[in-house]
């Protein structure tokens, strides 16, 4: 198994250009931040997924069971469609101090999808639809072990962060096994030729003459482009639609006055407190800065503050090193193969992990475990693991998903080998009578002292 859960149907979208990775501020272990959300202020978080057990976005662990999950095309998405390194935008409630949140809505922001035209393994790069994609040790892979295993012509989807030079630093590269019908690319607009209805997107020429265009095209604007796979010829892409991002979160509407945290790359040093972070206007004139003495072009930043509708008025800016190494999963072990286990769809290598509680030899299907580590190819390599006995796991809330097996009744069935009792749960998308072998469910709950997962909420899906 790979880091990713189940491949999304069809193609997908290019990846979270560095334009922004809006996220809840703070970390999972408690931070110096304040409560992000309140009755008077909407909170929006967007960025790469860094963990599961709930969906973890930039250190904040969001409970998502029961919340609508869609992609940026409006299609339904399930937890099993998500993977480490994918970009999501979450609106809801979150507390920066505890690093916990409740999602009211989650949207998957698709990555750039198309055939690879060039690969430079020694320099860790590839070219995709005229865009330069760079990788590092934190880049995750799905459907392939790593960059060296890819070939020119392979169709991939790339999620990542747009850098100051316009290249994309990948957080996830997914290889597809079949051709795709739709090409998608996200990037920053270069030269616009209004006479011939074309513009540059990296080294790609986009012909928007017959496209549906949303927003106003201009140099430096972040755009999403769709086209039929047959519409690419001689490095010219004849677009079917072009969406200009006029606000934050990759074109996803964010209400003025919302609390917002952005991660991205500075295009230049601030001038009179003003700069652009991966295409998003930011005012840092009133912000405190940590992690360095000054903001320079190419700096990877974490910015938080209030979105005015046109500008992120920052209260705090942190200079960061974009190297990942902070992925984590929580939940029950669903399978074991030597020192490798699968937890919430993520394949984890425990061979070099330091166990704070328990040992590798005690890990069993159904065991509750908390894992921290870093991505290495298509594995999460654990550096730290905490294994809980059934008594130790009692009351620790986490989320699971999968298809029902061994069904006897609402109080006795299994998900990924974990015994579940949903007799007292709140149901979404159906009732207890809807439960049966093979039904896909997403559940929230905690184990009791006997190791049975007592569900408090069950979301039944008919579409996965």
């Amino acid at each position: 198994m790979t880091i990713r859960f189940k491949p999304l149907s069809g193609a997908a979208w290019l990846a979270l250009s560095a334009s922004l990775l809006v996220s809840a501020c703070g970390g999972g272990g408690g931070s110096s931040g304040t409560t992000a959300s309140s009755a008077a202020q909407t909170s929006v978080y967007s960025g790469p997924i860094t963990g599961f057990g709930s969906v973890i976005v930039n250190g904040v662990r969001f409970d998502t069971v029961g919340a609508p999950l869609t992609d940026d095309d409006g299609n339904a998405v399930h937890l099993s469609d998500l993977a480490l390194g994918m970009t999501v935008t979450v609106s809801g409630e979150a507390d920066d101090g505890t690093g916990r949140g409740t999602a009211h809505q989650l949207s998957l922001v698709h990555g750039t999808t198309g055939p690879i035209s060039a690969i430079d393994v020694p320099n860790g790069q590839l070219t995709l639809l005229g865009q330069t994609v760079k990788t590092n040790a934190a880049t995750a892979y799905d459907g392939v072990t790593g960059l060296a295993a890819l070939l020119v012509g392979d169709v991939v989807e790339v999620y990542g962060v747009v850098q100051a030079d316009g290249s994309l630093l990948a957080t996830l590269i997914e290889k597809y096994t079949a051709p795709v019908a739709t090409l998608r690319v996200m990037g920053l607009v270069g030269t616009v030729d209004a006479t011939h209805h074309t513009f540059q997107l990296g080294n790609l020429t986009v012909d928007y003459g017959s496209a549906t265009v949303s927003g106003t095209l201009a140099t430096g604007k972040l755009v999403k482009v769709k086209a039929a796979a047959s519409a690419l010829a001689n490095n010219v892409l004849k677009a079917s639609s072009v969406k200009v991002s006029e606000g934050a979160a990759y074109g996803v509407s964010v209400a003025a006055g919302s609390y917002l945290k952005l991660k991205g790359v500075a295009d230049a040093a601030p001038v009179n407190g003003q700069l652009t972070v991966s295409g998003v206007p930011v005012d840092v004139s009133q912000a405190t800065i940590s992690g360095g003495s000054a903001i320079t072009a190419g700096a990877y930043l974490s910015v938080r503050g209030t979105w005015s509708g046109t500008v992120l008025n920052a209260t705090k800016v942190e200079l960061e090193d974009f190297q990942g190494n902070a992925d984590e999963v929580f939940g029950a072990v669903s399978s074991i193969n030597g020192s490798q286990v699968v937890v919430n769809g993520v394949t984890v290598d425990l061979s070099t992990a330091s166990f704070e509680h328990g040992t590798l030899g005690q890990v069993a299907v159904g065991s509750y475990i908390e894992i921290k580590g870093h991505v290495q190819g298509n594995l999460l390599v654990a550096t730290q693991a905490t294994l809980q006995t059934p008594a130790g796991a009692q009351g620790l809330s986490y989320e699971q998903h999968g298809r029902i097996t061994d069904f006897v009744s609402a109080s006795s069935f299994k998900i990924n080998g974990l015994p579940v009792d949903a007799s007292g749960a709140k149901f979404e998308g159906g009732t207890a009578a809807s439960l049966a072998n093979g039904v896909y469910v997403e559940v929230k709950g905690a184990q009791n002292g006997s190791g049975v997962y007592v569900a408090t909420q069950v979301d039944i899906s008919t579409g996965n």
Side-chain angles (χ1 to χ4, degrees), residues 44-97:
V44 179
Y45 315 86
S46 179
I49 296 173
T50 58
F52 292 103
S54 300
V55 176
I56 302 173
V57 181
N58 292 323
V60 175
R61 186 176 167 189
F62 288 95
D63 292 335
T64 60
V65 172
L69 308 182
T70 61
D71 64 10
D72 50 7
D73 291 330
N75 300 314
V77 172
H78 303 292
L79 289 176
S80 60
D81 294 321
L82 303 179
L84 293 177
M86 285 184 174
T87 311
V88 292
T89 296
V90 183
S91 61
E93 301 170 359
D95 187 291
D96 295 333

Side-chain angles (χ1 to χ4, degrees), residues 141-155:
Y141 293 85
D142 179 34
V144 65
T145 56
L147 186 66
L150 290 169
L151 300 172
V152 170
D154 284 345
V155 176

Side-chain angles (χ1 to χ4, degrees), residues 67-445:
L69 308 182
T70 61
D71 64 10
D72 50 7
D73 291 330
N75 300 314
V77 172
H78 303 292
L79 289 176
S80 60
D81 294 321
L82 303 179
L84 293 177
M86 285 184 174
T87 311
V88 292
T89 296
V90 183
S91 61
E93 301 170 359
D95 187 291
D96 295 333
T98 64
R100 294 301 299 266
T102 300
H104 296 166
Q105 172 78 45
L106 180 148
S107 295
L108 171 68
V109 180
H110 283 305
T112 291
T113 301
I116 297 172
S117 58
I119 301 177
D120 181 355
V121 175
N123 289 310
Q125 297 183 181
L126 62 82
T127 303
L128 176 68
L129 296 177
Q131 315 305 303
T132 298
V133 177
K134 298 182 179 180
T135 66
N136 66 8
T139 302
Y141 293 85
D142 179 34
V144 65
T145 56
L147 186 66
L150 290 169
L151 300 172
V152 170
D154 284 345
V155 176
V156 296
E157 176 180 6
V158 180
Y159 297 81
V161 180
V162 173
Q163 302 185 97
D165 62 359
S167 65
L168 181 70
L169 180 58
T171 55
L172 171 66
I173 297 176
E174 176 188 3
K175 178 184 175 182
Y176 284 89
T177 58
V180 294
T182 304
L183 304 179
R184 312 187 190 217
V185 60
M186 177 188 286
L188 301 177
V189 175
T191 304
V192 179
D193 183 343
T195 301
H196 296 94
H197 299 99
T198 62
F199 62 87
Q200 293 300 122
L201 204 58
N203 291 322
L204 179 72
T205 298
V206 177
D207 179 347
Y208 65 92
S210 58
T212 300
V213 179
S214 301
T216 304
L217 283 169
T219 300
K221 289 287 189 72
L222 177 70
V223 295
K224 296 178 180 180
V225 178
K226 290 185 186 180
S230 59
L232 177 65
N234 301 319
N235 211 39
V236 176
L237 184 66
K238 191 173 182 63
S240 59
S241 71
V242 177
K243 184 175 181 180
V244 182
S245 178
E246 302 290 0
Y250 306 97
V252 177
S253 178
V254 176
S258 296
Y259 173 87
L260 193 63
K261 184 178 179 182
L262 168 115
K263 288 197 175 187
V265 180
D267 65 336
V271 176
N272 297 322
Q274 310 294 312
L275 76 157
T276 299
V277 179
S278 296
V280 178
V282 178
D283 183 343
V284 298
S285 60
Q286 302 300 314
T288 58
I289 299 176
S290 62
S293 58
I295 300 171
T296 58
Y300 185 68
L301 307 177
S302 172
V303 185
R304 69 182 183 187
T306 300
W307 177 248
S308 73
T310 56
V311 176
L312 176 57
N313 293 308
T315 56
K316 186 172 183 179
V317 178
E318 298 174 72
L319 281 74
E320 298 186 358
D321 178 22
F322 185 67
Q323 293 296 323
N325 301 324
D327 298 301
E328 49 192 323
V329 290
F330 303 78
V333 175
S334 59
S335 67
I336 303 173
N337 182 13
S339 61
Q340 292 186 7
V341 300
V342 177
V343 181
N344 266 311
V346 180
T347 303
V348 183
D349 183 353
L350 291 171
S351 61
T352 58
S354 172
F355 276 77
E356 292 193 352
H357 187 274
T359 66
L360 177 59
Q362 294 174 315
V363 177
V365 172
S367 297
Y368 176 85
I369 193 167
E370 299 181 355
I371 297 168
K372 295 183 179 181
H374 59 273
V375 168
Q376 184 173 311
N378 57 357
L379 287 175
L380 175 61
V381 178
T383 55
Q384 182 179 314
T386 301
L387 180 67
Q388 296 286 0
T389 62
Q394 190 169 2
L396 295 175
S397 176
Y398 61 98
E399 297 181 350
Q400 292 279 121
H401 65 272
R403 294 191 181 277
I404 293 174
T405 61
D406 302 285
F407 181 79
V408 176
S409 67
S411 62
S412 179
F413 60 92
K414 291 183 178 180
I415 302 174
N416 300 322
L418 179 68
V420 178
D421 178 358
S423 58
K426 174 185 175 183
F427 282 81
E428 300 274 351
T431 67
S434 307
L435 301 177
N437 285 329
V439 173
Y440 174 84
V441 292
E442 297 171 358
V443 295
K444 177 182 177 182

